[in-house]
Amino acid sequence: MIRYILQRLFGMIVVMFLVLTIVFVILRVTPGDPAAVMLGPDATAQDIAELRSRLGLDQSLGVQYVYYIGQVLRGDLGQSIFLNIPVTSALLDRAEPTFFLTLFSLVIASVIALPVGIYAAYRRGSFVDQAATTLAMLAASIPSFWLGLILMQFFAVRLNLFPVSGYGGPGSTFLDRMYHLTLPAVALGVVSSALILRFTRASMLDVLGEDYIRTARSKGVIERRVVLKHAFKNALIPILTVLGLTAAVLVSGAVVTETVFGLPGVGNLVVSAVLRRDYPVIQGALLVIAALYVLINFAIDMLYLAVDPRVRY
Amino acid sequence: MTDITIKTQPSERSKFIRRFLKRKTVAAGMIVLVLFVLLAIFAPLIAPYSPSKLSIVNRLKPPSELHWFGTDEFGRDVLSRTIYAGRLSLLVGAAVMSLSAVIGVTLGLLAGFFKQLDTPIARLIDAMMAFPEILLAIALVAALGPSLTTVIIALSVVYAPRLARTVRASTLVIRELPYIEAAKALGISTPHIMTRHVLRNLISPILVQGTFLFASAMLAEAGLSFLGLGVSPDIPTWGTMISAGRQYIGQADWMTLFPGFAIILSVLSLQMVGDGLRDMLDPRLRRDL
């Protein structure tokens, strides 16, 4: 088992390294001089030369690459050109709303998808099953930013039940912040519940057909216990995977939804960085989020080892 | 002498198509999809007005007999714009699907067929898939500069690894089958085996995933355009229309609602078709064998 963990760890490091390389390459495919692009048309030749040397763009590609890797390994993601602060602090300042938005949406998605998915599988082919499957498909077809706009218009502007945008003032309480996150989290949660619902249903269907479920029933175990304890517990592994995957999808959705609701999160930071051509911020955000994704996947794999006694390598 | 009439058997393919269309959801999905394609192709004939015709007196008019979907902030007809916007949204979806299929299938086949290429390509796929879709697309668009071509390239780069992963997994299985062994023993060249014998058997998973990719690409394009990072805001796509409607949502929600419905309907129909295809082509899920 230790061998397996080490193997996975090595694989993860290789992937991380590739992620780093991809992020490095993306900035370099910019047509023309990135420094000139970043500074805009009004920049003087001297400004451009200064920025080039500040970013190390006057060195050869190989030197730049080695320097970049070294920099990242030291935990330095560079300096934001527009905000004039280190990228790490810019990201940390904006991490909270994105983190809670992702978590809140994941909770909403699970609260909708898990019970409905379990019930749909249990009553396979019934009206509820068909309706749930169709609704899941519909939910997956809605752009989350559009749903966000509609929810905002109806619940915030017309009914005045929720704040229209923002994340509360600087001194606002945790509850107040969550209150601000409710509408965006519902928009994201509803849209992404589809994936979880489908997986829950499919993996419950697999398990419900197993021999040990028949055994449990013939033993006279009550139905609710068969479904929730015997079946659901065993269906949990693929569901865990999809929860991890959904978290990644949610980060993607958060980028756009944050813009709709004016939330000061990482997504908003990236979008404004793109509009201002603040490349170090875009690079840093990409790197951190991809690294988090790789780490979450690794953690899920390790969780398998803990949850399922059958997984032994 | 009696006449002998020969009754021709319907071919496998036509049987498949008939069975495919018999499913209610698939048939409904196909009808809506075909409708959208026809609307896009014949937009100049169908759209009641020119999508760019300004009319200041008709600013922000609610849906009426003259303007079924209302008008926008410049008095342009929202229905006509929604019809024209479908052209670009469908074009982006189709282009991304084709381009990512070319990249993804090539990478997947190479990885699945040649053992020495497998690990590097598989790791590259893993690394590419670590980036959230929209975020990677945003970064690529930022690097290449926003335009229709860049959006198509960026989204293809984002989705190709997803297809490559499926193709690789299936190729790994097919590679070990006896008929590939036989083809090798007969001295058939590797490129020939890869294209004629392996790729042919991969058509169904590629088709299924391609349909879903088409849908995802349309959603992603709308997202990018909404953020102002896709095509120019002057070009009507469903995304740019929603983005423009956002400012007027309090007084003219039809500007946001109708392009949104168009996205939902087209993506939903693609998903229904993709779902039907998957059920039909995956023998484990096939109920009507």
Side-chain angles (χ1 to χ4, degrees):
Chain A
M1 189 158 93
I2 289 179
R3 207 192 132 124
Y4 169 74
I5 295 177
L6 285 178
Q7 250 175 13
R8 283 288 293 121
L9 201 65
F10 176 72
M12 185 186 83
I13 293 169
V14 172
V15 171
M16 284 278 199
F17 189 73
L18 281 170
V19 162
L20 204 60
T21 311
I22 294 169
V23 170
F24 174 81
V25 170
I26 287 179
L27 181 69
R28 267 71 192 175
V29 296
T30 310
D33 183 354
V37 176
M38 277 185 250
L39 290 172
D42 301 330
T44 62
Q46 198 194 345
D47 289 341
I48 295 174
E50 256 172 37
L51 185 63
R52 280 179 66 84
S53 83
R54 212 176 95 199
L55 295 174
L57 291 170
D58 46 357
Q59 310 275 346
S60 74
L61 265 184
V63 174
Q64 284 183 44
Y65 182 59
V66 173
Y67 181 75
Y68 180 65
I69 303 267
Q71 202 187 3
V72 172
L73 287 180
R74 284 197 307 273
D76 176 8
L77 295 176
Q79 189 86 4
S80 159
I81 293 164
F82 187 83
L83 303 168
N84 221 359
I85 52 168
V87 172
T88 35
S89 357
L91 286 173
L92 277 174
D93 288 348
R94 306 294 197 98
E96 194 200 295
T98 308
F99 174 75
F100 282 115
L101 176 60
T102 309
L103 196 68
F104 201 170
S105 328
L106 196 60
V107 171
I108 292 178
S110 311
V111 166
I112 303 172
L114 292 181
V116 180
I118 294 173
Y119 191 77
Y122 181 61
R123 294 250 178 254
R124 187 189 186 172
S126 69
F127 173 73
V128 175
D129 181 22
Q130 282 174 355
T133 325
T134 315
L135 281 178
M137 219 189 271
L138 178 69
S141 309
I142 306 174
S144 55
F145 60 90
W146 182 83
L147 185 61
L149 278 175
I150 304 296
L151 289 177
M152 181 204 271
Q153 177 59 22
F154 191 74
F155 290 102
V157 177
R158 226 171 264 181
L159 299 180
N160 218 353
L161 288 175
F162 291 96
V164 175
S165 68
Y167 192 52
S172 58
T173 59
F174 179 74
L175 270 180
D176 189 37
R177 291 177 183 185
M178 293 305 112
Y179 180 51
H180 277 81
L181 284 183
T182 311
L183 285 183
V186 169
L188 269 179
V190 166
V191 170
S192 46
S193 63
L195 191 65
I196 304 179
L197 196 150
R198 293 184 131 202
F199 258 80
T200 309
R201 180 180 174 275
S203 92
M204 278 298 283
L205 276 179
D206 275 352
V207 176
L208 283 170
E210 295 279 350
D211 288 342
Y212 57 79
I213 296 297
R214 199 175 336 129
T215 313
R217 281 193 176 131
S218 59
K219 264 191 345 190
V221 176
I222 54 163
E223 203 52 24
R224 193 202 295 177
R225 209 177 148 83
V226 171
V227 174
L228 292 182
K229 186 129 189 191
H230 295 243
F232 183 62
K233 217 173 160 188
N234 284 296
L236 209 58
I237 284 207
I239 297 174
L240 272 179
T241 316
V242 84
L243 284 182
L245 270 174
T246 313
V249 177
L250 283 171
V251 173
S252 239
V255 174
V256 196
T257 312
E258 276 174 15
T259 316
V260 175
F261 287 92
L263 290 168
V266 175
N268 220 329
L269 178 73
V270 172
V271 173
S272 39
V274 171
L275 297 174
R276 295 168 188 153
R277 306 209 169 278
D278 195 344
Y279 286 125
V281 171
I282 307 172
Q283 254 185 328
L286 260 185
L287 188 63
V288 170
I289 291 175
L292 277 177
Y293 177 80
V294 176
L295 280 177
I296 289 176
N297 258 330
F298 180 71
I300 290 175
D301 270 11
M302 294 300 110
L303 213 60
Y304 278 5
L305 287 175
V307 173
D308 193 339
R310 285 172 305 183
V311 184
R312 285 282 175 266
Y313 295 89
Chain B
M1 230 175 96
T2 47
D3 281 334
I4 301 171
T5 48
I6 301 170
K7 210 174 166 189
T8 46
Q9 283 287 318
S11 72
E12 273 300 309
R13 188 175 293 176
S14 69
K15 259 198 255 172
F16 177 83
I17 293 173
R18 215 171 294 163
R19 233 181 40 217
F20 180 61
L21 289 175
K22 244 189 190 163
R23 291 161 173 259
K24 267 184 231 149
T25 49
V26 173
M30 277 306 263
I31 291 172
V32 177
L33 202 60
V34 169
L35 215 67
F36 269 107
V37 173
L38 289 178
L39 279 174
I41 295 174
F42 298 109
L45 300 175
I46 297 166
Y49 301 90
S50 152
S52 48
K53 193 185 148 218
L54 308 175
S55 165
I56 297 304
V57 278
N58 279 325
R59 263 184 104 238
L60 302 173
K61 284 270 154 52
S64 64
E65 257 175 52
L66 277 176
H67 300 280
W68 289 3
F69 288 4
T71 61
D72 68 2
E73 78 273 32
F74 298 113
R76 295 174 298 196
D77 182 50
V78 175
L79 173 63
S80 305
R81 284 180 77 72
T82 308
I83 292 174
Y84 270 91
R87 287 184 146 188
L88 266 186
S89 301
L90 288 172
L91 175 79
V92 171
V96 170
M97 182 181 75
S98 319
L99 193 57
S100 52
V102 172
I103 308 172
V105 169
T106 314
L107 280 179
L109 268 181
L110 288 175
F113 215 79
F114 299 106
K115 283 196 172 109
Q116 60 274 39
L117 287 178
D118 189 26
T119 315
I121 295 182
R123 289 281 171 262
L124 181 70
I125 295 174
D126 282 347
M128 290 292 288
M129 287 182 61
F131 297 100
E133 292 172 19
I134 286 273
L135 208 58
L136 184 58
I138 289 178
L140 284 166
V141 171
L144 299 168
S147 76
L148 183 64
T149 325
T150 331
V151 169
I152 292 172
I153 294 174
L155 289 177
S156 305
V157 171
V158 170
Y159 291 119
R162 284 157 175 76
L163 207 69
R165 180 174 271 191
T166 312
V167 172
R168 173 183 167 266
S170 310
T171 310
L172 283 174
V173 176
I174 293 175
R175 190 181 67 185
E176 304 299 332
L177 294 179
Y179 78 89
I180 299 293
E181 200 69 30
K184 276 186 194 159
L186 283 172
I188 297 173
S189 71
T190 311
H192 196 263
I193 295 180
M194 278 168 77
T195 47
R196 303 260 331 165
H197 300 277
V198 180
L199 189 58
R200 262 204 173 171
N201 282 295
L202 289 174
I203 299 287
S204 10
I206 294 173
L207 209 64
V208 172
Q209 221 187 347
T211 322
F212 290 120
L213 269 185
F214 197 127
S216 303
M218 282 177 65
L219 279 175
E221 183 277 323
L224 285 176
S225 298
F226 176 77
L227 292 174
L229 306 173
V231 296
S232 149
D234 306 327
I235 302 172
T237 73
W238 292 327
T240 53
M241 288 179 72
I242 295 175
S243 180
R246 183 186 171 190
Q247 290 160 11
Y248 300 93
I249 192 162
Q251 33 180 330
D253 51 13
W254 52 88
M255 279 175 69
T256 315
L257 280 176
F258 291 112
F261 289 147
I263 298 181
I264 296 172
L265 257 180
S266 53
V267 172
L268 183 65
S269 64
L270 275 164
Q271 295 214 49
M272 284 160 119
V273 172
D275 229 42
L277 268 178
R278 184 175 48 200
D279 284 1
M280 298 275 295
L281 296 170
D282 188 342
R284 283 172 307 162
L285 299 169
R286 228 150 109 177
R287 272 166 287 169
D288 47 359
L289 260 179

